[in-house]
Amino acid sequence: MNEHILVIEDDDSIRTLLQLQLEREGYQVSLAADGEEGIVLAAESQPDLVLCDVTMPDLDGYSVLSELRQQVNFVDVPIIMISANEDREYVRLGMELGASDYLTKPFLTSEVLIAVQTQLKRLQRRKQVYQRQVDRITQGLTYAMPHELRTPLMVIMGYSGLLKEDIASLPGEHAEMIEAIANSGKRLHQVVERVLNYAQVELAANNKTIPPLSTASTGQIEGIAVGAATQAGRTNDLEISQDVFRVAIAPEQFVIVVGELIDNAFKFSPVGSPVEVVAQQIDGVATITVTDYGLGMTQAQIDAIGPFTQFNRSMNEQQGIGLGLYLAKRIASLHNGKLSIHSIPGRQTTVTVQLPLHLQND
């Protein structure tokens, strides 16, 4: 049991009593002596449940309740109110403001524990329902959407490709239109593939699906890197140093990880600056690093990396949907590896992926 409970109570003896009883049951407990401290601590610690006294100086429990319920992170967090006033109007007010339960003083610690356990079980059931809904959507993306998305794209890209073969015989305006259609088709195809890859990886992670034993070779890196450099029009900027060995990851997943990192490096660094790709074995671990000398990232941006997250889009023209780094990190984690980022804003970024080596006797 690792649930985290925040107790907001101005009475020292009651606060200590609740702490001792909850910790005895295996809960992690944080304490706040007043409402203002409670709101700050709630934002910092993100508890799974809040026990909040009603009658406190300056900021009472109802004000704390109202403030927390306005925050997105506390929409579903159980908040149990504690008060010496058992008047029905006070109870109703708490419920109207979003209280999950209401306990009156004096209370038995067993009553508190039952209320806490009940609310945490309800929270867990809601999370399970939500996760099933997410899984259904993800499965739809994984199994149904590939055909529905890829088929019309193949038609668009196929016919635009045929038209491009005759582009020399067409008026200039028509040629520009065909070129735009072809380029937009390629761009949309990249977006679709990223979303589908994301759906497949999330489904595997949520279902705790262990990837089957498969191996990739770092010899694939050169082809991936040259392809990304060619697409970016920056083949002269690419620098590769690689030892060839096998890595315990499916080849198609390896292509996604390496491809996303190299693509990002070209995307966020200026033409003429090097993009360095290095593959080597360090302490018995496959280590691939990609370094660029471009925009860089702050630590806050690194910490905030997630699906569909982009930074400073209003200032930096970007193509894509903000999945690259997250997708690479997620795939590495699924294969018992890890991804780390070291960056100096405005100067450089180095992304390192570590993956298990494939051992010959596996």
Side-chain angles (χ1 to χ4, degrees), residues 14 19 114 322 332 347:
I14 294 177
Q19 178 185 15
I114 290 173
R347 292 179 60 184

Side-chain angles (χ1 to χ4, degrees), residues 123-140:
L123 176 63
Q124 186 60 36
R125 285 196 294 269
R126 289 197 297 271
K127 287 182 177 180
Q128 290 172 349
V129 170
Y130 170 75
Q131 190 58 59
R132 284 196 293 269
Q133 293 172 339
V134 171
D135 286 346
R136 280 198 294 270
I137 294 171
T138 307
Q139 287 172 348

